[in-house]
């Protein structure tokens, strides 16, 4: 029912489906248990195993693409190769075809998620300027009462700053005011005030990945600049 309701929603985001994952997990576990306990093999079982084999191949290869995308250290490649080899060695000793399909899905998924969470996401979030600038502000203890934004609509910026950062207006001008803004905002501000560029940040909408961004050779063409400015 939640899945049907979300499917008819006019406004959809991928993470909305998280609420049905626990229910899906229960249904899947029940299906797997019945499937493993069946003695006879039906044509539908072969189709299922073929589809799952495609998923397993994706789980085998995707971590390498992630390591390449973010210029991983050679040690991570070695870890991945060794981990996958050990899993394949274990699976080779399994006699039951269904067990091989199940265990390979689980083990390769764990390896892929370890690479994703331990390596890919931390590197990906370096391109989320809204959080990176907040980390910079907190690290350098920039006074929050002197902090403003212009042309910035990222909720992560407010979240990691610990509160709503107000929009900058002319009435807010005083010495040592800090403003986080985009390229257009910087042009507007420097026409009226003397500014110092404290730091620039590379920015990409990390919720909408593209092949151009994931390719290190073309990534620079997909990035935009955000700036932390100080009024002198």
């Amino acid at each position: 029912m939640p899945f049907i309701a979300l499917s008819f929603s006019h406004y959809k985001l991928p993470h909305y489906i998280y609420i049905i994952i626990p229910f899906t997990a229960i249904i899947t576990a029940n299906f797997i248990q019945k499937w493993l306990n069946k003695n006879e093999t039906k044509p539908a079982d072969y189709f299922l195993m073929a589809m799952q084999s495609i998923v397993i191949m994706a789980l085998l290869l995707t971590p390498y693409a992630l390591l390449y995308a973010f210029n991983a250290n050679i040690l991570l490649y070695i870890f991945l190769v060794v981990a996958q080899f050990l899993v394949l060695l274990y699976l080779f000793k399994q006699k039951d075809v269904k067990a091989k399909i199940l265990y390979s899905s689980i083990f390769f998924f764990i390896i892929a998620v370890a690479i994703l969470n331990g390596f890919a996401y931390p590197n990906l979030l370096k391109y989320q300027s809204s959080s990176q600038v907040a980390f910079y502000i907190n690290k350098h203890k920039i006074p929050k009462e002197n902090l403003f934004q212009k042309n910035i609509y990222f909720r992560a910026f407010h979240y990691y700053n610990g509160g709503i950062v107000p929009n900058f207006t002319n009435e807010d001008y005083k010495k040592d005011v800090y403003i986080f803004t985009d390229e257009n905002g910087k042009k507007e501000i420097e026409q009226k005030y003397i500014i110092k560029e404290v730091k620039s940040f590379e920015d990409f909408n990390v919720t909408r990945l593209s092949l151009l961004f994931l390719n290190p050779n073309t990534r620079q063409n997909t990035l935009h600049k955000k700036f932390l400015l100080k009024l002198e």
Side-chain angles (χ1 to χ4, degrees):
M1 292 303 293
F3 179 76
I4 293 170
L6 289 169
S7 297
F8 281 101
S9 171
H10 290 288
Y11 189 74
K12 299 180 181 73
L13 286 175
H15 57 271
Y16 288 178
I17 206 164
Y18 287 174
I19 63 168
I20 72 166
I21 288 179
F23 306 107
T24 308
I26 294 169
I27 295 169
T28 304
N30 181 54
F31 171 83
I32 290 173
Q33 186 180 37
K34 290 179 179 178
W35 183 63
L36 289 175
N37 291 332
K38 281 198 310 183
N39 292 322
E40 73 280 8
T41 302
K42 297 181 179 180
D45 293 326
Y46 292 110
F47 175 77
L48 174 66
M49 288 188 282
M51 294 301 295
Q52 196 60 19
S53 297
I54 295 172
V55 173
I56 291 166
M57 287 302 298
L59 290 172
L60 270 168
L61 299 176
T62 300
Y64 292 100
L66 293 172
L67 294 181
Y68 171 77
F70 297 106
N71 299 316
N73 187 296
I74 188 64
L75 292 176
L76 274 174
Y77 282 100
I78 294 172
F79 162 78
L80 180 58
V81 170
V82 170
Q84 290 184 344
F85 174 77
L86 291 175
V87 172
L88 290 170
L89 192 63
Y90 172 78
L91 294 173
F92 181 74
K93 296 180 179 180
Q94 285 288 334
K95 302 300 182 184
D96 188 348
V97 175
K98 289 183 178 180
K100 284 187 178 183
I101 290 288
L102 178 62
Y103 292 139
S104 58
S105 302
I106 294 171
F107 292 141
F108 289 134
F109 177 77
I110 291 172
I111 294 170
V113 169
I115 295 293
L116 189 67
N117 287 289
F119 173 76
Y121 276 138
N123 281 281
L124 174 63
L125 292 177
K126 292 177 182 178
Y127 297 95
Q128 182 174 271
S129 65
S130 54
S131 56
Q132 292 302 310
V133 69
F135 299 151
Y136 180 89
I137 289 165
N138 293 328
K139 180 180 178 181
H140 291 84
K141 295 181 170 55
I142 293 174
K144 299 297 174 68
E145 62 272 14
N146 289 0
L147 181 62
F148 295 87
Q149 61 159 319
K150 185 176 179 62
N151 296 352
I152 298 297
Y153 309 100
F154 303 128
R155 292 182 178 87
F157 178 52
H158 304 289
Y159 176 79
Y160 288 109
N161 269 299
I164 300 298
V165 180
N167 288 309
F168 176 78
T169 64
N170 293 333
E171 289 74 28
D172 296 315
Y173 169 70
K174 58 183 176 181
K175 188 180 179 182
D176 294 339
V177 159
Y178 292 82
I179 306 171
F180 180 48
T181 187
D182 60 5
E183 295 183 28
N184 291 331
K186 181 185 178 185
K187 290 177 183 177
E188 291 178 33
I189 294 168
E190 63 187 1
Q191 289 175 359
K192 298 180 181 180
Y193 307 100
I194 298 173
I195 65 170
K196 173 187 176 183
E197 183 181 312
V198 179
K199 188 171 177 60
S200 65
F201 299 85
E202 293 180 326
D203 183 70
F204 183 81
N205 187 345
V206 297
T207 63
R208 297 185 176 182
L209 296 180
S210 66
L211 290 176
L212 288 176
F213 172 79
L214 291 173
N215 184 346
N217 299 318
T218 57
R219 180 174 301 146
Q220 204 61 36
N221 298 329
T222 67
L223 301 178
H224 301 281
K225 287 283 188 182
K226 298 291 186 289
F227 305 91
L228 182 63
L229 307 176
K230 181 181 179 183
L231 298 189
E232 298 276 295

